[in-house]
Amino acid sequence: MSTLLAGSPAAPGAVPAAWRGSLRRLARLRWGVTAALVMLAIVAAAVLAPWVSPHDPLVVDIRHRLAPPVWMAGGTTQHLLGTDQIGRDLLSRIVWGGRVSLVVGVFAVLISASLGVLLGLGAGYFGGRTDAVIMTGLNVMLSFPFVLLALAVIAVLGPSLPNMILVLGVADWPLYARVVRAETLAIREREFITAGRALGMSHARLMFGQILPNLVSLIVVIATLQVARVIILESFLSFLGLGVQPPTAAWGNMLGEGRVYMLNSWWIAAFPGLAIFVTTLAINLVGNALRDWLDPNLKL
Amino acid sequence: MRRYIVRQLVQFVVVVVGISMLSFAILHVIGDPVLLLLPQNAGREEFERYRRLLGLDQPLPVQYWKFVSRAVTGDFGKSWYGDVPAFPLVLERMPPTIYLTFAGLGVALAIALPLGILSALRRHSFVDNLCTALAVAGQAMPIFWLGIMLIILFAVRLRILPASGYGTWQHFVMPAFTLGAFLAPITMRLVRSGLIEVLNQEYIKTARAKGLGERLVVVKHAFRNVCIPVITVLGLQFGQLLGGAIVTETVFAWPGVATLTVESIRNQDFPVVQCAVVLLALIIVAVNLCVDVIVGFVDPRIRVRA
């Protein structure tokens, strides 16, 4: 594959030189590309859930309760991955559960990335007292385990989907802020910033127009990797019963419910967990590949 | 050295104050204790009476000051559920959490050190690639799922380990492994990249040129220098480790602080939640302080840079 792309003399000039390098690097990232395809399939399944899921995720079929997956004795082709304790189709619930995980992951990351980038830029650009205040806040946040903070806030706010997005979004800004601040400190000293200042650019224009564009690939990489982390945390909260509430299908609460039945029906807990694992693995691989592709020198 | 320690101490105090503010804010600014305490159909006067009773009619700074001055004496109020002081309740559950944390750390090191060293020495070999793949998979693994799969396999199917509980060494096996699997991937990557970096240094060339055996070069000259960054990062990861312990505890019904916290959240028992959150955060900050001081002591360059 890589030799094909790199050394093929068949169409010289068909691919611009600048692109050829990128393509060659892309070929080296075949794991990342595979993972991206898997990710695309997961996203498509979640978006198209009403059309692709074989059953309604909430319809109870009590005659087929605790049916094993199709390849085991007693399994039916009607329920490929089996059914749960009240006969809901596991495959359909997993497909629908993906919606919850992806929505929480994406929106929480949007919140935390915006917050973190804003605070990191401010701290790095202004320095001095602003920097000290933001860094102290950052150290305080970092001394709480993310899980503990999320638990404490959910305990007060009460479990629901918007609350969870809010909590995970607000709790996760320090990572972005730290990296963005460090980069901003370095960029601030470069000539083009001095030049911009000499031209009379405003602080906002320097920060968002001049410094921020240099940080985009960095932020994209962190944000991608963080989506995976947020999904794991969301499913943990739901697993504890402090996240998305039943009967809504979410991978975490399916896993939590399935845990009660693991003595005889392992599949109820196993498959939702597998879904989380495959999704986070795919996202991590895509994130790593993005990092290698955009900027191999990024140290994260 | 003294200036370095003083600076770290000042930072420690600032962070502790921040922790107290944050944990106060979670209950008193984001939430409203009275709303959480009273049944929803309670009358208006009832709310006002409770508000006065708990001192919630006073300005926030006054309330915060009261909270802090009581908290430093270990008074976090009484558990709303059991009518016993929250502090001893939480303290009592601390040892299992600490044992679990150390057991997990031990397992992580037992996995990560040999594998990390091996993959650094045989870079881009089959073993190295396998270890990297394992690390990537391990980082994506939700450990509460791993824990449940272990229970299904070893407790339900094979019946060789207890599914949950606390007491004998058998009870430690699965929780410690689960927590270890959480921390091992990042540790392994650290050891690997640290060792690769050190092995390229001039003094390693010198050691080899002197005719020292490869084993002596790796163990005595290279590995010792890898220890400092590994200890630093592991120390900073202590919060992560404790977070992992929280997850692990809830899966195995381990009678530690995390299980207590989750129970208390379900019972809406806020004094206990608050006390547990503050204590855990304090432990993490204290560990970070110790790591900073030790590392500064071992490596003078860090003292100067900070």
Side-chain angles (χ1 to χ4, degrees), chain A residues 186-201:
Chain A
I187 295 176
R188 192 178 61 169
E189 307 302 328
R190 302 253 296 269
E191 277 85 6
F192 68 95
I193 300 298
T194 320
R197 200 170 288 143
L199 286 171
M201 286 186 187

Side-chain angles (χ1 to χ4, degrees), chain A residues 208-219:
Chain A
F208 298 108
Q210 303 296 315
I211 298 178
L212 190 58
N214 290 292
L215 303 176
V216 169
S217 53
L218 185 75
I219 296 165

Side-chain angles (χ1 to χ4, degrees), chain A residues 72 135-136 139-158 178 229 231-237 239-242 251-252 255-256 258-259 262-267 269-282 284-285 288 291 299, chain B residues 11 14-19 22-23 26-27 30-32 36 133 136-145 148-149 151-152 156-157 159 163 189 197 236 239-240 242-244 246-253 258 261-262 265-266 268 270 273 276-278 280-282 284-285 288:
Chain A
M72 283 174 60
M135 287 310 282
T136 307
N139 282 331
V140 172
M141 294 289 282
L142 283 179
S143 60
F144 276 88
F146 195 24
V147 182
L148 193 62
L149 196 64
L151 280 178
V153 178
I154 282 289
V156 175
L157 287 181
R178 199 171 46 177
R229 219 176 128 216
I231 286 179
I232 290 189
L233 213 70
E234 173 272 320
S235 43
F236 177 63
L237 289 177
F239 166 74
L240 290 179
L242 300 171
W251 293 338
L255 186 48
R259 181 188 181 189
M262 65 189 168
L263 199 58
N264 297 312
S265 314
W266 55 266
W267 52 90
F271 292 126
L274 195 64
I276 304 171
F277 177 53
V278 170
T279 308
T280 49
L281 185 62
N284 280 342
L285 286 172
N288 288 342
R291 179 190 53 203
K299 275 196 177 160
Chain B
Q11 210 180 2
V14 170
V15 171
V16 169
V17 171
I19 287 172
L22 190 56
S23 50
I26 287 173
L27 187 55
I30 305 179
D32 181 347
L36 297 164
V136 171
Q139 275 182 323
M141 177 83 74
I143 58 167
F144 49 102
W145 181 61
I148 287 176
M149 292 301 107
I151 292 177
I152 289 178
V156 177
R157 297 269 139 167
R159 296 170 188 274
R189 290 184 145 191
E197 204 179 308
L236 293 177
Q240 290 275 344
L242 215 53
I246 290 174
V247 178
T248 310
E249 275 189 18
T250 54
V251 173
F252 293 98
T261 309
V262 173
I265 290 175
R266 292 221 178 95
Q268 306 251 303
F270 289 95
V273 176
V277 169
V278 171
L280 286 175
L282 280 182
I284 292 167
V285 185
N288 285 349

Side-chain angles (χ1 to χ4, degrees), chain A residues 62 64-68 82-87 261 264-265 267-268:
Chain A
I62 206 77
H64 289 116
R65 65 189 288 268
L66 299 176
T83 60
D84 67 3
Q85 66 278 8
I86 50 176
Y261 298 88
N264 297 312
S265 314
W267 52 90
I268 307 178

Side-chain angles (χ1 to χ4, degrees), chain A residues 102-191:
Chain A
L102 292 174
V103 163
V104 172
V106 169
F107 283 96
V109 161
L110 282 179
I111 295 176
S112 55
S114 322
L115 264 177
V117 168
L118 215 59
L119 290 169
L121 267 179
Y125 181 81
F126 291 112
R129 201 166 288 170
T130 319
D131 186 28
V133 170
I134 293 175
M135 287 310 282
T136 307
L138 193 145
N139 282 331
V140 172
M141 294 289 282
L142 283 179
S143 60
F144 276 88
F146 195 24
V147 182
L148 193 62
L149 196 64
L151 280 178
V153 178
I154 282 289
V156 175
L157 287 181
S160 78
L161 189 69
N163 283 352
M164 201 154 55
I165 292 175
L166 199 69
V167 169
L168 297 179
V170 172
D172 200 27
W173 63 266
L175 184 69
Y176 302 89
R178 199 171 46 177
V179 181
V180 167
R181 172 182 173 271
E183 290 295 311
T184 307
L185 279 176
I187 295 176
R188 192 178 61 169
E189 307 302 328
R190 302 253 296 269
E191 277 85 6

Side-chain angles (χ1 to χ4, degrees), chain B residues 73-97 249 254-265 267-277 279-280:
Chain B
T73 63
D75 179 6
F76 285 87
K78 276 185 173 177
S79 158
W80 294 349
Y81 202 65
D83 203 35
V84 284
F87 186 61
L89 205 66
V90 174
L91 215 54
E92 188 182 79
R93 299 286 205 106
M94 212 47 110
T97 301
E249 275 189 18
W254 192 259
V257 183
T259 315
L260 176 72
T261 309
V262 173
E263 276 166 22
S264 306
I265 290 175
N267 297 334
Q268 306 251 303
D269 193 351
F270 289 95
V272 179
V273 176
Q274 202 168 31
C275 180
V277 169
L279 281 189
L280 286 175

